């Protein structure tokens, strides 16, 4: 494979040491994680043993928990430094968990908003990979695009709290704790101040897994779960009472940005498979690479990845600078998820029947790519909110300047 184009990545890669680290992560993904994908996808004890072996090897090679703060046992990379490494991790759906970066959102949330007891009990084991987190927000029968409709409640009781309700599409199968969003204030209180998050250790009395959930026919740990009189203390709050939405909003901004970059790593992998296939297969008197209609697939895929990547980098730079980022992050999320979906669709098409089988990784990649247009907020929600915010600026006499850096 030829050397990666570093034009856009350069400002984020920084020192030669960081570029070396990025190359080491690429080598680890290509030589260790991707060959293990079939066993990891099969699930069961064999998959767990394989994942543990990969994690141990990542730790031994100094590649573990690269974006986590040093005080938590991580490598301490800033967002700007880690961003393009996250792109390489994303080449495989198993990359982030194999390298210990998948727990970043939970670790930062607990570090910033968890009390002393929560931090002492959960943080260090979480970063070291000894605990598996889970986040419970979406509810069955409720529109996930409008979180104000959540009805899971936490009510005061005897100096503590009692949680009742349902959540779903949370990775609870192997989780050691779940951070759950609950309504704690009565109707009429503004939504931004009506919800609180609690950390619930698992197992806990009153907590149960209702059923496992498949994603387009495949299991990946998602479940529907129930809270029936689950007790929690005020010390288990993440953030203060009524601060659930602001805390989750911060988590979502970083999460959408990182996942968008990881999706582009998947898109790069699909792009490579597609272009290589065009040079390997002949039809109608010549290589597929010489057919104009298939060259259009290459061009469209190239422009989709380039435009999405540029937007993700812009969103990350603004997030790193502490600016208002919703428009940029939401746009990056939509562009990246659509780029991944479109590139994979073209790659499958060019592989023909083989692309529909498990002879290549494309079928499994395509399944997860379709889900990205719903995860982290559906495309329609972000399209609506971005347009609404831009139009409001014009309504108030302002505007949106594309030339602004």
């Amino acid at each position: 494979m030829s050397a990666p184009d570093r034009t856009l990545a350069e400002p984020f890669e920084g020192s030669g040491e960081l570029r070396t680290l990025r190359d080491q992560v690429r080598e680890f993904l290509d030589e260790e994680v991707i060959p293990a994908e079939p066993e990891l996808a099969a699930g069961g004890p064999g998959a767990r043993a394989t994942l543990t072996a990969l994690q141990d090897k990542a730790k031994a090679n100094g590649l573990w928990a690269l974006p986590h703060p040093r005080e938590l046992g991580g490598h301490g990379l800033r967002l700007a430094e880690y961003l393009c490494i996250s792109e390489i991790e994303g080449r495989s759906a198993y990359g982030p968990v194999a390298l210990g970066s998948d727990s970043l959102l939970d670790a930062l949330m607990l570090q910033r908003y968890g009390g002393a007891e929560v931090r002492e009990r959960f943080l260090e084991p979480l970063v070291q990979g000894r605990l598996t987190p889970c986040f419970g927000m979406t509810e069955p029968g409720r529109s996930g695009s409008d979180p104000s409709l959540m009805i899971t409640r936490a009510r005061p009781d005897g100096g503590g709290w009692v949680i009742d309700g349902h959540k779903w599409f949370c990775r609870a199968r192997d989780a050691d704790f779940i951070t759950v969003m609950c309504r704690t204030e009565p109707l009429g209180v503004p939504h931004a101040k009506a919800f609180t998050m609690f950390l619930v250790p698992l197992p806990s009395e009153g907590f149960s897994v209702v059923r496992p959930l498949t994603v387009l026919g495949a299991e990946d740990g998602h479940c529907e779960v129930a809270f029936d009189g689950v007790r929690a203390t005020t010390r288990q709050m993440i953030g203060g009472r009524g601060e659930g939405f602001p805390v989750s909003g911060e988590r979502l901004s970083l999460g959408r940005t990182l996942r968008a970059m990881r999706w582009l790593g998947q898109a790069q992998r699909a792009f490579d498979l597609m272009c290589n296939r065009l040079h390997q297969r002949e039809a109608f008197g010549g290589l597929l690479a010489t057919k104009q209609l298939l060259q259009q697939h290459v061009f469209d895929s190239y422009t989709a990845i380039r435009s999405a990547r540029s937007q993700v980098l812009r969103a990350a730079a603004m997030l790193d600078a502490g600016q208002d980022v919703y428009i940029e992050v939401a746009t990056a999320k939509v562009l990246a998820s659509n780029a991944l979906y479109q590139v994979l669709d073209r790659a499958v098409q060019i592989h023909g029947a083989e692309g529909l089988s498990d002879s290549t990784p494309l079928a499994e990649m395509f399944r997860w790519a379709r889900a990205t247009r719903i995860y982290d907020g559906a495309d329609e929600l972000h399209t609506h909110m971005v347009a609404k915010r831009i139009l409001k600026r014009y309504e108030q006499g302002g505007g949106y300047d594309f030339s602004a850096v």
Side-chain angles (χ1 to χ4, degrees):
M1 181 181 298
S2 61
D5 184 343
R6 302 184 183 278
T7 305
L8 287 178
E10 200 64 52
F12 291 85
E13 288 187 333
S15 67
E17 181 182 353
L18 193 57
R19 288 193 291 271
T20 298
L21 183 61
R22 183 173 184 264
D23 292 340
Q24 290 173 338
V25 171
R26 177 186 290 273
E27 182 178 353
F28 187 83
L29 261 291
D30 289 346
E31 296 186 3
E32 303 290 346
V33 179
I34 289 176
E37 284 179 338
E39 188 169 357
L40 292 169
R48 286 192 289 272
T50 298
L51 179 59
T52 298
L54 287 171
Q55 292 174 331
D56 288 343
K57 187 170 291 188
K59 292 175 182 178
N61 291 340
L63 301 177
W64 179 260
L66 297 178
H68 287 74
R70 288 187 180 276
E71 61 268 25
L72 299 181
H75 201 283
L77 295 183
R78 296 181 299 106
L79 175 60
E81 296 171 322
Y82 171 64
L83 195 67
C84 291
I85 289 178
S86 74
E87 183 179 20
I88 302 302
E89 290 180 340
R91 289 174 61 82
S92 170
Y94 304 99
V97 66
L99 290 162
S101 63
D102 64 316
S103 63
L104 178 64
L105 300 180
D106 290 275
L108 292 179
M109 182 176 67
L110 298 190
Q111 183 188 37
R112 295 170 181 172
Y113 300 108
E117 182 177 308
V118 164
R119 295 196 305 271
E120 182 176 349
R121 179 177 174 183
F122 294 97
L123 254 181
E124 192 270 340
L126 175 64
V127 174
Q128 291 306 311
R130 299 197 301 273
L131 293 179
T132 299
C134 175
F135 190 67
M137 191 165 184
T138 305
E139 298 181 356
R142 300 278 161 175
S143 172
S145 296
D146 186 356
S148 67
L149 298 176
M150 288 185 294
I151 58 174
T152 296
R153 290 195 59 88
R155 55 182 173 82
D157 182 79
W161 296 82
V162 175
I163 302 172
D164 293 287
H166 279 73
K167 299 291 181 180
W168 76 341
F169 277 90
C170 44
R171 295 183 186 272
R173 183 184 62 191
D174 303 314
D176 297 294
F177 66 88
I178 181 170
T179 305
V180 55
M181 180 79 80
C182 309
R183 177 178 281 277
T184 53
E185 313 309 315
L187 296 176
V189 173
H191 296 315
K193 299 180 180 179
F195 294 85
T196 305
M197 288 197 293
F198 292 86
L199 185 150
V200 176
L202 299 180
S204 281
E205 185 176 355
F207 174 88
S208 62
V209 173
V210 177
R211 56 177 174 142
L213 298 171
T214 60
V215 178
L216 295 177
E219 290 191 13
D220 71 341
H222 281 97
C223 299
E224 178 183 347
V225 300
F227 298 82
D228 184 10
V230 174
R231 302 197 66 87
T233 68
T234 301
R235 295 189 300 276
Q236 290 170 241
M237 283 185 182
I238 306 302
R241 179 172 177 174
E243 294 180 357
F245 271 11
V247 173
S248 66
E250 181 178 307
R251 173 195 173 104
L252 284 170
S253 291
L254 177 59
R256 286 168 179 151
T257 304
L258 290 180
R259 276 188 281 271
M261 204 66 180
R262 288 168 181 162
W263 296 339
L264 293 179
Q266 289 266 300
Q268 170 76 68
R269 184 178 172 192
F271 186 77
D272 292 342
L273 289 168
M274 177 178 66
C275 292
N276 286 329
R277 175 74 168 196
L278 290 172
H279 283 293
Q280 293 165 353
R281 183 58 60 95
E282 290 189 8
F284 303 104
L287 288 171
L288 295 183
T290 65
K291 312 303 180 183
Q292 278 188 308
L293 284 177
L294 302 187
Q295 291 171 352
Q296 184 73 48
H297 287 332
V298 174
F299 178 83
D300 290 342
S301 298
Y302 175 86
T303 55
I305 294 173
R306 276 298 192 196
S307 60
R309 195 171 189 276
S310 177
Q311 179 63 24
V312 176
L313 294 178
R314 174 179 170 80
M318 294 179 65
L319 184 64
D320 212 26
Q323 300 176 6
D324 181 10
V325 295
Y326 178 80
I327 288 177
E328 307 305 331
V329 168
T331 304
K333 185 270 176 186
V334 172
L335 285 176
S337 63
N338 277 269
L340 173 58
Y341 178 77
Q342 293 161 7
V343 173
L344 271 165
D345 184 67
R346 297 179 191 119
V348 169
Q349 191 73 11
I350 285 174
H351 280 74
E354 189 174 345
L356 300 175
S357 73
D358 289 332
S359 299
T360 77
L362 291 171
E364 184 179 8
M365 292 168 67
F366 190 76
R367 182 188 300 119
W368 304 134
R370 183 58 186 87
T372 66
R373 295 183 56 208
I374 295 175
Y375 293 160
D376 285 334
D379 288 0
E380 293 81 1
L381 168 68
H382 292 306
T383 300
H384 163 69
M385 292 302 298
V386 167
K388 182 179 178 180
R389 291 192 181 204
I390 292 173
L391 289 171
K392 186 175 182 179
R393 293 184 183 183
Y394 283 88
E395 181 184 23
Q396 295 174 343
Y400 192 88
D401 184 2
F402 290 99
S403 67
V405 177

